[in-house]
């Protein structure tokens, strides 16, 4: 008798935790486990700003899938369409070959992409911070602006090259602005011709508060700290237009800047739209057991699913955080196993463990288990949490070694040039144009299924 096939889409926090638990609790004879993942690593997203800042190397936050998963077959590519009637997922391999992957049970954890709006110039000039390639590009780009400002022949060009705008006052945007501001403040000492006072960092968010989840006291502490470091924080406004050398805000201000880093939230992977199922603000509507009601054998979790937050109640859904994704992955694996064995499924219930925000150096704010901390104590909690959350000892050692090396030896502020003169738009890094329509899915499913027989 052929083994049931469990197909996991996505190699992020949710997908990897699910696959790891499936491997531990299912005998090889009970099911075949397959994962579709575009990269051979799980990206530890919370530390991405430190990669952009050069504190960590890219390899430090790229945790090997093959070190974590022992018997899961990995299809190197991205899922671009789902046919729930045929129980097939269409994937584009990294060779651009299309394949149809069948399933008996499907776990959808494709994650999210950067959420954008129809703002003139944003698609051409906005830079993201969602992928490893984007973080490496942003670091190169920021350092290149110092080089070009140093070589500029006019004051107008010099000022615009030393202007940096980060949009998004959540954790990603705040940490990105904080970490990169430290980079430019230190690197400018290598440029005796540049006036450090010309470097201007701006953090912009339409919300009335910075990181509101931290609460008023810690949020104000973080904002005061950043302002003391020279970061201009503009709340209650957004971007109206982006040009080559200026960013126009909705309050009419014109900021001279050639760098716009866009971190204004996330949207569920476009893969969700290829599945004919109900959504909640773009995320798949699922039960508390993470089942997609309209599709037999399909589970969804992480950033792509609106998982009910039973701890909060009042119809709330779990926020798209790494903490929830990891725990949902384990709970979803248990429910897939229960469905496979004909047992009762259990709802996902999780109480938040708290928040950590690393602002670079000794600066941090944290709220573990509701306890408000800032300064070195908060930094110790933040870094301890990240080390605990990394899933391999190799990754823990790499990150810890990088932190120690950066603290003692500093940075050389070197541009690698890997992405020089290549398109750097959000869609180029996040492949948001790759997904199929429902009609294309049906056509490809039939053709690929026939070819693979």
């Amino acid at each position: 008798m052929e083994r049931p096939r469990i197909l996991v889409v996505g190699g992020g926090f949710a997908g990897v935790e699910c696959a790891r638990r499936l491997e531990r609790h299912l005998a090889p004879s009970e099911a075949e486990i397959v994962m579709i993942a575009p990269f051979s690593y799980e990206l530890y997203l919370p530390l991405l700003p430190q990669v952009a800042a050069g504190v960590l190397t890219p390899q430090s936050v790229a945790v090997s899938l093959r070190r974590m998963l022992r018997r899961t077959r990995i299809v190197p590519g991205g899922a671009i369409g789902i046919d729930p009637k045929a129980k097939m997922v269409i994937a584009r391999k990294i060779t651009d070959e299309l394949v149809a992957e069948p399933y008996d049970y499907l776990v959808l954890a494709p994650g999210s992409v950067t959420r954008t709006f129809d703002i003139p110039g944003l698609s051409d000039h906005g830079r993201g911070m969602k992928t490893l390639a984007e973080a490496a590009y942003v670091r190169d780009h920021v350092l290149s602006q110092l080089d070009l400002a140093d070589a500029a022949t006019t004051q107008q060009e010099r000022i615009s090259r030393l202007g940096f705008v980060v949009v998004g006052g959540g954790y990603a945007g705040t940490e990105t602005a904080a970490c990169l501001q430290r980079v430019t403040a230190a690197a400018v000492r290598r440029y005796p011709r540049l006036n450090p006072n010309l470097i201007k960092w701006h953090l912009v968010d339409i919300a009335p508060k910075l990181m509101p989840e931290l609460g008023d006291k810690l949020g104000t502490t973080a904002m005061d700290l950043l302002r003391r470091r020279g970061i201009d924080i503009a709340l209650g406004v957004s971007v109206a237009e982006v040009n080559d050398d200026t960013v126009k805000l909705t309050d009419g201000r014109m900021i001279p800047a050639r760098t716009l880093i866009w971190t204004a939230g996330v949207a569920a992977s476009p893969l969700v739209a290829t599945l004919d199922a109900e959504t909640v603000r773009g995320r798949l509507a699922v039960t508390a057991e993470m089942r997609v009601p309209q599709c037999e054998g399909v589970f969804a979790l992480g950033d792509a699913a609106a998982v009910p937050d039973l701890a909060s109640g009042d119809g709330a859904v779990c926020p798209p955080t790494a903490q929830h994704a990891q725990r949902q992955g384990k709970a979803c694996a248990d429910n897939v196993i229960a469905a496979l064995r004909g047992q009762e499924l259990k709802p996902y219930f999780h109480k938040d463990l708290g928040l950590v925000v690393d602002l670079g150096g000794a600066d941090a704010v944290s709220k573990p288990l509701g306890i408000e901390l800032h300064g070195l104590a908060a930094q110790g909690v933040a870094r301890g949490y990240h080390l605990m959350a990394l899933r391999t000892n190799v990754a823990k050692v790499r990150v810890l070694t990088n932190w120690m090396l950066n603290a003692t030896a500093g940075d050389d502020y070197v541009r690698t040039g890997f992405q020089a003169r290549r398109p750097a738009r959000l869609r180029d890094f996040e492949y948001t144009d790759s997904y199929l329509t429902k009609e294309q899915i049906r056509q490809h499913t039939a053709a690929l299924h026939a070819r693979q027989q």
Side-chain angles (χ1 to χ4, degrees):
M1 183 177 175
E2 194 170 314
R3 294 177 298 167
R5 200 169 198 258
I6 302 172
L7 181 60
V8 179
V9 172
F13 291 119
V16 169
E17 285 301 319
C18 181
R20 278 162 55 93
R21 198 169 184 90
L22 289 172
E23 285 191 352
R24 284 197 297 270
H25 294 280
L26 279 177
S29 59
E30 285 188 274
E32 177 189 7
I33 308 168
V34 180
M35 174 181 283
I36 300 175
F39 305 109
S40 62
Y41 57 81
E42 173 196 86
L43 176 61
Y44 190 76
L45 269 168
L47 290 178
L48 211 51
Q50 295 193 32
V51 174
V55 174
L56 298 176
T57 62
Q59 191 179 5
S60 303
V61 299
V63 187
S64 169
L65 291 181
R66 298 190 184 278
R67 187 181 285 272
M68 292 186 288
L69 303 174
R70 301 295 182 177
R71 61 184 177 89
T72 299
R73 183 170 74 84
I74 299 172
V75 178
I80 59 173
I82 305 166
D83 187 339
K85 290 182 180 178
K87 287 200 164 186
M88 290 276 189
V89 173
I90 298 174
R92 177 176 281 115
K93 295 169 74 172
I94 58 175
T95 58
D96 279 337
E97 174 192 0
L98 293 184
V99 294
E101 293 290 339
Y103 66 85
D104 295 291
Y105 295 94
L106 175 62
V107 176
L108 287 175
S112 56
V113 296
T114 301
R115 180 182 61 186
T116 58
F117 301 95
D118 190 17
I119 297 171
L122 176 61
S123 61
D124 291 326
H125 301 292
R127 309 294 176 235
M129 272 289 293
K130 195 80 172 64
T131 67
L132 203 52
E134 284 175 316
Y137 175 87
V138 165
R139 174 174 170 80
D140 263 18
H141 174 79
V142 168
L143 293 177
S144 74
Q145 296 311 300
L146 296 181
D147 286 344
L148 291 166
D150 188 55
T153 56
T154 67
Q155 186 72 345
Q156 182 180 357
E157 180 189 351
R158 188 171 295 113
I159 289 172
S160 68
R161 292 202 180 278
L162 296 178
F164 305 91
V165 178
V166 178
V167 182
Y171 306 114
T174 303
E175 289 186 334
T176 296
C179 291
L180 287 173
Q181 183 273 335
R182 283 180 59 87
V183 170
T184 55
V188 74
R189 298 170 191 158
R190 310 278 176 91
Y191 300 83
R193 293 177 63 250
L194 287 183
N195 180 354
N197 295 325
L198 291 179
I199 298 177
K200 303 293 182 184
W201 279 90
H202 305 265
L203 182 57
V204 177
D205 198 339
I206 194 67
K209 295 180 181 178
L210 195 70
M211 297 180 292
E213 297 88 346
L214 284 174
D216 289 343
K217 184 179 177 182
L218 272 188
T220 300
T221 298
M223 195 155 55
D224 290 344
L225 189 155
L226 295 178
R227 281 176 169 157
R228 284 198 301 271
R229 279 165 46 177
I231 298 176
D232 174 68
I233 300 173
L235 300 175
V237 297
S238 188
V239 174
E241 186 178 347
V242 190
N243 296 305
D244 287 337
D245 57 2
T246 56
V247 175
K248 183 180 180 181
L249 301 184
T250 51
D251 62 4
R253 274 192 293 165
M254 298 290 288
I255 299 176
R258 301 199 185 209
T259 303
L260 177 74
I261 302 172
W262 185 267
T263 65
V266 296
S269 165
L271 181 67
V272 165
T274 73
L275 189 66
D276 196 13
E278 185 183 345
T279 59
V280 177
R281 295 183 181 178
R283 301 165 74 185
L284 281 171
V286 297
T287 67
E289 295 78 22
M290 289 169 281
R291 288 181 53 254
V292 179
Q294 299 91 343
C295 304
E296 182 190 353
V298 179
F299 295 78
L301 64 161
D303 292 5
V307 179
D309 188 350
L310 300 182
S312 298
D314 296 325
V317 297
C318 296
T321 65
Q323 191 178 129
H324 274 292
Q326 286 182 322
R327 286 156 180 77
Q328 286 171 11
K330 295 176 181 177
C332 185
D334 289 342
N335 281 338
V336 171
I337 294 169
L340 184 66
R341 294 173 178 171
Q343 299 169 349
E344 183 182 355
L345 278 61
K346 295 181 180 178
Y348 170 74
F349 185 91
H350 168 65
K351 230 174 161 67
D352 209 310
L353 297 180
L355 308 164
V356 295
V357 183
D358 191 330
L359 301 175
D363 297 330
V365 289
S366 299
K367 198 175 181 180
L369 302 174
I371 303 169
E372 296 185 346
L373 302 171
H374 62 87
L376 282 174
Q379 185 66 280
V381 170
R383 296 201 167 183
Y385 171 79
H386 291 315
L387 285 176
M388 179 184 70
L390 287 163
R391 283 297 178 249
T392 69
N393 289 330
V394 171
K396 295 177 197 287
V397 170
R398 280 204 180 101
V399 167
L400 187 58
T401 302
N402 276 196
W403 280 337
M404 293 173 62
L405 184 63
N406 186 265
T408 55
D411 192 342
D412 280 333
Y413 312 108
V414 173
R415 284 186 292 116
T416 61
F418 290 153
Q419 298 288 336
R421 295 183 177 84
R422 297 189 63 183
R425 296 162 299 190
L426 294 170
R427 61 179 177 269
D428 296 316
F429 282 116
E430 299 185 29
Y431 308 105
T432 52
D433 297 335
S434 300
Y435 298 87
L436 302 177
T437 65
K438 291 182 176 65
E439 181 58 34
Q440 289 173 322
I441 291 169
R442 285 192 290 269
Q443 294 172 357
H444 282 295
T445 300
L448 291 169
H449 184 56
R451 191 189 312 161
Q452 292 173 6
Q453 291 301 307

